[in-house]
Amino acid sequence: MAVITDALCPFCGCVCDDITIVTEGNKITDVKHACKLGAAKIMGHHRIKEPMVRDDKKGDFKEVSYDEAIDAAAKILSGSKRPLLYGWASALCEVHKKGVLLAEELGGIIDNTASVCHGPSTLAVHEKGLPTATLGQVKNRADVVVFWGCNPVQAHPRHMGRYSVFARGFFSEKGRKGRKIAVVDVRKTDTANIADEYIQVQQGKDYLVISALRAILAGQADVVPATVGGVPKEQLVKLVDTLKAAKFGAIFFGMGLTQSQGRYKNIDNAISLTTELNSFTKFVITPMRGHYNVTGFGQVCAWETGFASAVDFSRGAPYYNPGETAANDLLYRKEADAALIIAGDAGAHFPANSVRHLAKIPVVQIDPYWNPTTEVANVVIPTAICGIEVEGTAYRMDGVSLRYRKMVEPTHPTDMEILERITERVREIRGE
Ligand code: SF4
């Protein structure tokens, strides 16, 4: 039996780094300190055992060798005029690098799962920058925390305990007792239930509410009507007083803000609010990134291509224009004629029209796990699990890079190996 301490959890953007893993032989037999979500991933579930292909979408899968699956994948991708390479959020940065190379080789489009979650945040950051902080700073200093359109109790279960609400830090030794917590959301979530102040905003009215807060903050409360986006003016004034009274305030925002009406303009406005709060006190804002390394893809893609996502190589040089070159744009317009889905689940998260198109085109899936994308895949290539069977780098939601160690030996080839071999085979097929 071996005990691995201070291991990193490869599930959500919190990247908890205090996990204890117990192994026997080459098997993980116990996980300590992880939440249910993290423990379920580390203990393993629904692994795909062997590579599989099927001739058409209606046919059953047939188990094949890795050589055959890689050959089939390379033929699909090299024969495509507009291949989409999508996913990446549950893979390490080393995998992202190989993915960008393959996309360039194919003249395809590479995009990640931020396309349907925090992509708008990236656009807003282009325009306004991001006055942010590490989660460690929040833990040690924050005395006012706002959760806007996110529900960490369900989606990031240890965020509040480790970093933002209950955590005791150097200047926040009282933990929860020393913090004021506000939640802004359209419904009373589990997170709202433990907040000091719950602000219920009408669906799609976040932009108006942020604008009203900015007006009050600027001393223009007289122009704010009696209710804004369903929120009484008195409650908005009270919230501004709380924010201004903070010694160190932190706003965390989620898809309730990025994917509701206004999208990137909501984030643009929230960043402006944060910047303006810094005229009164110290305030930071941080996106609640979902998958453990969705932030890492943005980093790798940006340093390799100049853009964080939705990069189109068909012109021979990287081109980026979300709304035109994001994964969902391509699928929705029925433009992609083949797709490689890796470490992400387009089948589960894209709008129905896009999934319908995905079901009509040849799809290569590279993933350790069976998921809804498997149902529309023609070629399925199982891989080792990044962060459990493969070491490498990931970026936490606050942009801090952390190194994952290998906990057990892999039983399947790594994503890096598979992508390298597909790239080589594509070159052979094209006679390069
Ligand atoms: S909060 Fe996230 S990173 Fe931490 S243990 Fe749970 S799933 Fe893993």
Side-chain angles (χ1 to χ4, degrees), residues 9 11-12 14-16 34-35 37-38 157-158:
C9 171
F11 189 76
C12 87
C14 288
V15 188
C16 295
C35 69
L37 301 177
R158 297 186 73 216

Side-chain angles (χ1 to χ4, degrees), residues 4-9 15-21 404-405 407:
I4 303 165
T5 55
D6 300 325
L8 275 62
C9 171
V15 188
C16 295
D17 56 5
D18 60 345
I19 311 297
T20 298
I21 310 274
Y404 281 83
R405 288 172 290 162
M407 302 175 198

Side-chain angles (χ1 to χ4, degrees), residues 81-83 85 96-97 99-111 297 301 304-307 309-320 325:
K81 288 197 175 74
R82 203 85 171 115
L85 287 72
H96 302 158
K97 193 169 174 186
V100 173
L101 275 175
L102 177 58
E104 190 173 9
E105 183 70 34
L106 292 166
I109 288 179
I110 188 162
D111 196 12
F297 180 84
C301 199
E304 293 283 335
T305 72
F307 307 108
S309 62
V311 179
D312 181 356
F313 284 101
S314 65
R315 291 161 169 80
Y319 170 75
Y320 158 84
T325 60

Side-chain angles (χ1 to χ4, degrees), residues 118 130-135 138 142-150 159 164 180 182-184 210 213-214 217 239 243 246 248-254 257 266-267 269-278 282-288 397:
H118 274 283
L130 190 68
T132 192
T134 64
L135 293 174
V138 173
D143 59 343
V144 171
V145 178
V146 180
F147 294 105
W148 199 308
C150 57
H159 190 281
S164 54
K180 287 224 164 81
V183 169
V184 187
I210 299 168
L213 293 173
R214 291 179 65 193
L217 190 67
L239 179 60
L243 302 182
F248 185 111
I251 299 171
F252 291 98
F253 64 95
L257 202 57
N266 292 338
I267 315 308
N269 213 8
I271 293 172
S272 295
L273 170 66
T274 310
T275 304
E276 287 154 13
L277 280 164
N278 277 280
K282 173 73 182 170
F283 239 92
V284 299
I285 184 165
T286 302
M288 291 286 257
M397 64 165 72

